[in-house]
Amino acid sequence: MSKKVVLAYSGGLDTSIIIPWLKENYGCEVIAFVADVGQGDDMEAVAEKAMKTGASKVIVKDLREEFLTDYVWPCVKAGAVYEGKYLLGTSMARPIIAKYQVEVALAEGADAVAHGCTGKGNDQVRFEHAFQALAPELEIIAPWREWDLVSREDCIDYAEQRNIPITASKTKIHSRDRNLWHISHEGGELEDPANAPLATTWQISNSPQTAPDKVEEVEIGFEQGVPVSVNGQKLSAVELLEKLNEIGGRNAIGRIDLVENRFVGMKSRGAYETPGGTLLMSAHAELEALCIERDLEHFKQQIALKYAELVYYGLWFTPLRESLNAFVNSTQQTMTGTVKMGLYKGNVEVLSRTSPYSLYSTDLSSFTMGSSYDQKDAAGFIKILALPARVRAAAAKQFEKKVPESDFAETAKAKAEAAR
């Protein structure tokens, strides 16, 4: 039985009751590890609550800058979006939390690590895959897979019986995860995909109806694919995203309502707010369109799908994700420039794209004939391109009786009979 356990602690409903549950059921010492990834909590209050509910020690780590530079920016550069909509806010945060939780466990001589993820969700995979990749010798405790509590209502009752202060209630039942990149909402009315999110569900963005009645312009600057400035002002990663969250939030940018396929096999429904992230992903894609060669851009779009899948599945610490990251970084060497966008009531309109590495040639793309492109060359290009099609058409006419009946053969036969 574990003697010392390091718990990933947030102070929310689940982890608030896990400290006393671990002590009651494992008889162990519990160290609470609090990772600050920009959830906006009063960290002193969170630490105090952990101590009051039975933690022997609380370790708080400010991971905000590293979270963005080493986990979020790689996903921005990759263009990683899961199932066309989800910008991976929770998925990107779990690996860095698990990494430092393991470091604390090893430094404190702990026997085990624990988390508050349910047995139905993706987060259990994200945490536990990271634990096993980084420190397979540590025992893993997942209370949701062991205790007899089956609902958030049960957890609330458990907390009330032990006088543990919580913010959730049976009438305020949403499960939320927040960091610098986004805030997610699950539970409550969202459990039925037939229900629209309540107006009170959204937390950090205006609705289109309450957003300003005028267009706001924002310009984002990139250096080798990394966002570095807003409206010409150089900012740290944290400052930059906070600024874009503020701008995007007031203009109703970044709300999505998603039914997604979880890694464990079921469908789930959630609402997400990612105002700054939506602006960054939009701007980055526009700059890539300007600066990346066609075949590379098309292949990178395929890589983006796989990259997003790996991150969503919790497979951050894998050779494949690391190798794809190396490929992505090689594509970003000329991704330097600025993109200006106009924001209006949830809409993002691209106003300008500029880069010293732009591959866009006015001489080539203009309707005015220039010396860089001889239009007569197109005839030879198309003729060579269509050579297989011409050969097939000729063969179909010559051997139509030998060609298996198909739509193509029937069409060719009909044309031949009409010609007679």
Side-chain angles (χ1 to χ4, degrees):
M1 182 173 288
S2 301
K3 297 179 180 178
K4 186 184 291 188
V5 179
V6 175
L7 168 67
Y9 183 81
S10 67
L13 173 59
D14 297 337
T15 59
S16 291
I17 66 174
I18 285 176
I19 292 178
W21 184 88
L22 285 171
K23 297 181 72 173
E24 291 170 15
N25 290 272
Y26 279 81
C28 60
E29 176 187 349
V30 180
I31 297 174
F33 170 65
V34 183
D36 183 359
V37 287
Q39 53 268 53
D41 294 334
D42 180 342
M43 291 302 162
E44 289 188 5
V46 171
E48 183 180 353
K49 179 179 178 180
M51 293 296 292
K52 286 182 177 179
T53 52
S56 64
K57 187 176 184 179
V58 179
I59 297 173
V60 179
K61 186 81 173 175
D62 185 350
L63 303 176
R64 292 175 300 164
E65 195 78 15
E66 184 178 344
F67 168 51
L68 295 181
T69 59
D70 291 4
Y71 295 81
V72 175
W73 291 173
C75 291
V76 172
K77 291 190 287 185
V81 180
Y82 184 69
E83 297 189 338
K85 296 174 74 174
Y86 176 44
L87 300 186
L88 300 170
T90 299
S91 312
M92 295 184 293
R94 295 314 187 222
I96 188 172
I97 296 171
K99 173 188 171 183
Y100 280 95
Q101 184 180 355
V102 164
E103 287 190 8
V104 168
L106 296 178
E108 296 291 329
D111 310 282
V113 285
H115 61 75
C117 312
T118 72
K120 285 187 174 182
N122 301 303
D123 274 346
Q124 60 181 334
V125 183
R126 295 165 185 157
F127 271 107
E128 294 182 30
H129 187 279
F131 294 155
Q132 294 179 58
L134 300 173
E137 68 274 19
L138 292 173
E139 181 187 351
I140 298 171
I141 301 174
W144 265 103
R145 300 203 297 258
E146 297 183 30
W147 61 27
D148 56 3
L149 307 175
V150 297
S151 68
R152 290 180 64 78
E153 288 82 1
D154 286 349
C155 294
I156 290 169
D157 289 339
Y158 185 98
E160 290 175 347
Q161 290 164 10
R162 289 159 179 78
N163 297 315
I164 299 171
I166 54 174
T167 56
S169 68
K170 293 180 181 178
T171 58
K172 186 182 177 184
I173 205 67
H174 285 111
S175 174
R176 291 188 168 99
D177 178 74
R178 183 173 182 175
N179 58 47
L180 278 169
W181 186 249
H182 88 155
I183 182 169
S184 66
H185 315 276
E186 293 181 317
E189 84 284 1
L190 299 174
E191 290 193 345
D192 185 347
N195 295 331
L198 298 173
T200 53
T201 297
W202 308 105
Q203 300 288 300
I204 61 173
S205 62
N206 282 333
S207 68
Q209 293 79 12
T210 59
D213 292 323
K214 61 179 182 179
V215 175
E216 180 172 358
E217 295 184 1
V218 59
E219 183 182 78
I220 302 175
F222 294 86
E223 291 180 3
Q224 295 190 338
V226 175
V228 295
S229 67
V230 176
N231 295 331
Q233 182 183 7
K234 292 266 187 170
L235 298 168
S236 70
V238 172
E239 292 171 333
L240 182 143
L241 190 52
E242 287 179 339
K243 183 71 173 176
L244 290 177
N245 279 334
E246 177 188 338
I247 294 171
R250 67 170 166 258
N251 287 286
I253 305 299
R255 289 185 175 189
I256 66 165
D257 180 349
L258 174 65
V259 174
E260 66 197 69
N261 289 293
R262 286 182 177 174
F263 191 21
V264 294
M266 69 189 71
K267 290 185 181 293
S268 65
R269 193 274 188 95
Y272 300 91
E273 296 174 84
T274 319
T278 299
L279 296 179
L280 282 173
M281 296 297 280
S282 299
H284 185 270
E286 293 297 330
L287 192 58
E288 281 199 333
L290 196 65
C291 298
I292 293 186
E293 178 269 340
R294 181 195 66 191
D295 289 346
L296 180 59
E297 182 177 2
H298 290 179
F299 188 76
K300 184 175 178 292
Q301 289 168 0
Q302 299 176 50
I303 294 299
L305 295 175
K306 187 61 180 180
Y307 201 106
E309 187 178 78
L310 291 171
V311 176
Y312 183 84
Y313 289 172
L315 306 179
W316 186 272
F317 298 109
T318 59
L320 179 54
R321 205 281 311 170
E322 292 163 1
S323 296
L324 292 183
N325 204 60
F327 166 79
V328 168
N329 284 336
S330 74
T331 70
Q332 301 297 293
Q333 299 306 303
T334 58
M335 272 290 295
T336 296
T338 60
V339 176
K340 181 182 290 186
M341 300 172 290
L343 316 181
Y344 183 71
K345 293 185 176 295
N347 296 299
V348 179
E349 179 184 12
V350 179
L351 302 178
S352 72
R353 317 159 183 84
T354 61
S355 171
Y357 302 102
S358 172
L359 299 179
Y360 187 95
S361 169
T362 304
D363 183 49
L364 286 172
S365 61
S366 172
F367 283 103
T368 302
M369 302 305 123
S371 59
S372 299
Y373 184 84
D374 187 344
Q375 294 189 77
K376 296 177 181 178
D377 293 341
F381 168 76
I382 297 169
K383 196 167 186 178
I384 294 296
L385 180 68
L387 177 60
R390 294 201 308 276
V391 171
R392 184 170 183 240
K397 287 184 177 180
Q398 187 175 358
F399 306 114
E400 64 177 280
K401 292 183 179 180
K402 299 179 181 179
V403 175
E405 289 298 319
S406 65
D407 290 343
F408 175 83
E410 290 173 358
T411 300
K413 185 176 181 180
K415 287 183 177 180
E417 289 176 351
R420 295 192 190 102

